[in-house]
Amino acid sequence: MKILIVGNGGREHAIGWSLKQDPRVTDLVFAPGNAGTTTLGTNVSIAATDTKALANWAKSEKPDLVIIGPEAPLCVGLTDEIEQLGIRVFGPNKKAAQLEGSKVFTKNLLQRAHIPTAQSETFAHAAETLEYLKSAEYPIVVKADGLASGKGVIICQSEAEAQEAVKKIMIDQDFGAAGTQVLIEEFLDGQEASIHAVTDGDELVVFSPSQDHKRIFEGDQGPNTGGMGAYAPTPAVDGPLLEEIIGCVFRPLLEEFKKSNIQYKGVLYGGLMLTSKGPKVLEFNCRFGDPETQVILPLLETPLLDIILATVSSSLRDIDFRVKNQSAMTVVMASPGYPESPKTGSPISGLTDVCADNQIIFHAGTSHSEGVIKTSGGRVLSVTGIGNTLLNAKEVAYQGIAKISFESAQFRRDIGHRAL
């Protein structure tokens, strides 16, 4: 099979890595890919958001399957455009992708389906929002409605912090059109968990529960990032709790999709807070998480291609879904200055020294320049370790980290601290 993978991050490298192990996959193409994906297939210089160019490429090259990694092309309707060409696509259509494209849309969906979630208020005008903040109970959470690369959620401990967040989102428009509306949510206390499922609209399969680390600094300090590391499975979500989450969150969501005439096929990635009153939904995403993909896919026993093809053909009920009885941890190495203003262009050394079977390097912000692999983005690499226990997986991941270097690389040394 010839497969096009849209995107250039660690998630897309991990998807390609998983598919490359399948003998049915004969040709992998990444658009635009990164320095790491060139070891798996071919990169084409088309941005993930250039839907017209991607559709033209697909029309000309006729891949057997297109897999869309990031949220942005899903939210602007790339799936719809590719499907019109008669080509199979893995990823929800534009209408369904509103699940991630608009937090207000999702909040309304959750409330209609009686799915447990944080209480919230929606605002479209800054002055009205600032007035509401005067009587709010703190801490609160200020969320930009639209896509903000994982950085549009700000936890505020005081009115002054909340005012600054509203100014940043609605007045200064740091996230552009994503800040046209904001959600003001109650702050939920507890442990976060990432639950990834794939659905064909009727059935679903659920991957190993994982936990992400959003803050840039150790001890969960500093600003939010796209994610500095993750591990799976998380002991915070045992078997009975996972079944409860499927029953009170995922199943009702599928039913609400049908009532709302939404045909949803693809990834359902729920970010949940495990509170003293039970699990509550923080957000939903319409694609695999990054860096969670880098730990949940290495733990798959069922071929990823089987899952994807069954999703596209509405036959997930026939899948024998299995995961390995192991643990995985990934640690992100980021450029100096990330997340605000990353400095890039530094040569990366030690990549070939990480060669153990239970160590995997997934590239994100990397590029080839004059025969040298250099940093080209904020999050540069995800180094994943696999082991029989989470502690073993952590040791393997950090052993890999120790062999790689680039100028002023930053990474957290406490990934998995809640479990370990």
Side-chain angles (χ1 to χ4, degrees):
M1 291 183 66
K2 180 178 183 178
I3 299 175
L4 171 65
I5 298 175
V6 177
N8 67 338
R11 164 184 50 226
E12 289 75 36
H13 191 179
I15 292 170
W17 170 85
S18 187
L19 292 172
K20 188 68 174 179
Q21 300 173 59
D22 196 310
R24 293 170 292 179
V25 177
T26 55
D27 192 2
L28 282 176
V29 182
F30 298 84
N34 55 47
T37 59
T38 60
T39 65
L40 303 174
T42 305
N43 290 354
V44 293
S45 298
I46 305 175
T49 52
D50 192 344
T51 56
K52 183 177 180 180
L54 288 166
N56 286 338
W57 186 93
K59 185 177 181 180
S60 171
E61 299 296 326
K62 297 179 174 55
D64 299 293
L65 174 68
V66 175
I67 298 171
I68 305 171
E71 62 274 18
L74 290 168
C75 289
V76 296
L78 180 57
T79 293
D80 308 66
E81 292 194 43
I82 301 297
E83 284 183 337
Q84 288 175 8
L85 301 174
I87 296 172
R88 292 178 292 185
V89 189
F90 180 72
N93 60 34
K94 183 178 181 179
K95 184 177 181 180
Q98 290 180 90
L99 189 71
E100 182 164 2
S102 171
K103 293 181 179 64
V104 173
F105 170 88
T106 300
K107 183 67 69 171
N108 292 335
L109 199 72
L110 296 174
Q111 291 171 345
R112 290 200 305 271
H114 305 292
I115 293 171
T117 184
Q119 294 181 357
S120 68
E121 296 289 341
T122 302
F123 299 94
H125 302 286
E128 184 184 4
T129 315
L130 293 170
E131 184 64 28
Y132 174 82
L133 296 178
K134 295 177 181 179
S135 58
E137 292 186 17
Y138 294 87
I140 61 171
V141 184
V142 181
K143 294 183 175 182
D145 174 48
L147 300 180
S149 301
K151 300 165 191 171
V153 177
I154 304 172
I155 299 172
C156 305
Q157 302 294 333
S158 65
E159 183 183 348
E161 289 185 15
Q163 288 173 338
E164 184 60 32
V166 170
K167 180 177 181 292
K168 179 177 183 179
I169 295 171
M170 302 191 82
I171 300 174
D172 297 341
Q173 295 187 321
D174 281 16
F175 307 119
T180 303
Q181 294 187 98
V182 296
L183 278 176
I184 307 293
E185 282 191 350
E186 67 169 321
F187 175 79
L188 297 178
D189 197 19
Q191 282 202 62
E192 287 191 44
S194 300
I195 311 297
H196 286 74
V198 168
T199 181
D200 59 9
D202 292 309
E203 299 297 326
L204 54 81
V205 295
V206 182
F207 294 78
S208 297
S210 57
Q211 197 165 67
D212 184 18
H213 296 65
K214 286 291 186 187
R215 301 295 187 104
I216 184 69
F217 300 128
E218 288 159 24
D220 296 320
Q221 301 296 311
N224 271 346
T225 70
M228 292 302 293
Y231 63 94
T234 171
V237 182
D238 59 15
L241 180 55
L242 183 59
E243 287 302 316
E244 178 186 345
I245 291 169
I246 293 170
C248 74
V249 174
F250 284 86
R251 292 292 180 189
L253 185 60
L254 292 186
E255 288 304 311
E256 187 59 37
F257 283 148
K258 293 177 181 178
K259 291 178 184 177
S260 302
N261 196 29
I262 296 172
Q263 185 183 43
Y264 198 106
K265 287 188 177 185
V267 178
L268 282 173
Y269 157 24
L272 282 79
M273 184 67 77
L274 309 178
T275 75
S276 58
K277 297 180 180 180
K280 294 189 177 184
V281 174
L282 295 173
E283 63 179 3
F284 257 105
N285 299 307
C286 62
R287 39 74 194 179
F288 283 119
D290 188 341
E292 293 96 334
T293 306
Q294 292 91 298
V295 292
I296 61 175
L297 292 192
L299 295 179
L300 263 186
E301 199 166 283
T302 303
L304 178 60
L305 184 60
D306 285 353
I307 298 167
I308 290 174
L309 293 178
T311 301
V312 174
S313 63
S314 300
S315 57
L316 267 180
R317 69 179 70 84
D318 301 326
I319 284 290
D320 180 18
F321 183 79
R322 302 182 307 277
V323 296
K324 299 174 183 175
N325 186 27
Q326 289 182 299
S327 293
M329 180 178 291
T330 198
V331 181
V332 171
M333 299 184 75
S335 295
Y338 179 75
E340 287 89 358
S341 52
K343 177 186 176 184
T344 62
S346 299
I348 306 171
S349 63
L351 292 170
T352 57
D353 296 329
V354 181
C355 54
D357 290 341
N358 57 352
Q359 289 175 327
I360 316 163
I361 301 173
F362 295 118
H363 289 237
T366 64
S367 62
H368 282 287
S369 178
E370 299 173 350
V372 177
I373 295 178
K374 296 183 178 181
T375 63
S376 64
R379 292 188 295 172
V380 178
L381 302 166
S382 291
V383 182
T384 298
I386 303 166
N388 291 326
T389 66
L390 185 57
L391 181 59
N392 182 218
K394 178 176 182 176
E395 291 169 347
V396 172
Y398 279 102
Q399 286 167 5
I401 289 281
K403 297 175 182 178
I404 302 169
S405 63
F406 53 87
E407 183 182 354
S408 301
Q410 55 175 336
F411 61 90
R412 285 182 53 165
R413 293 168 175 79
D414 67 342
I415 302 302
H417 67 90
R418 294 186 191 91
L420 296 172

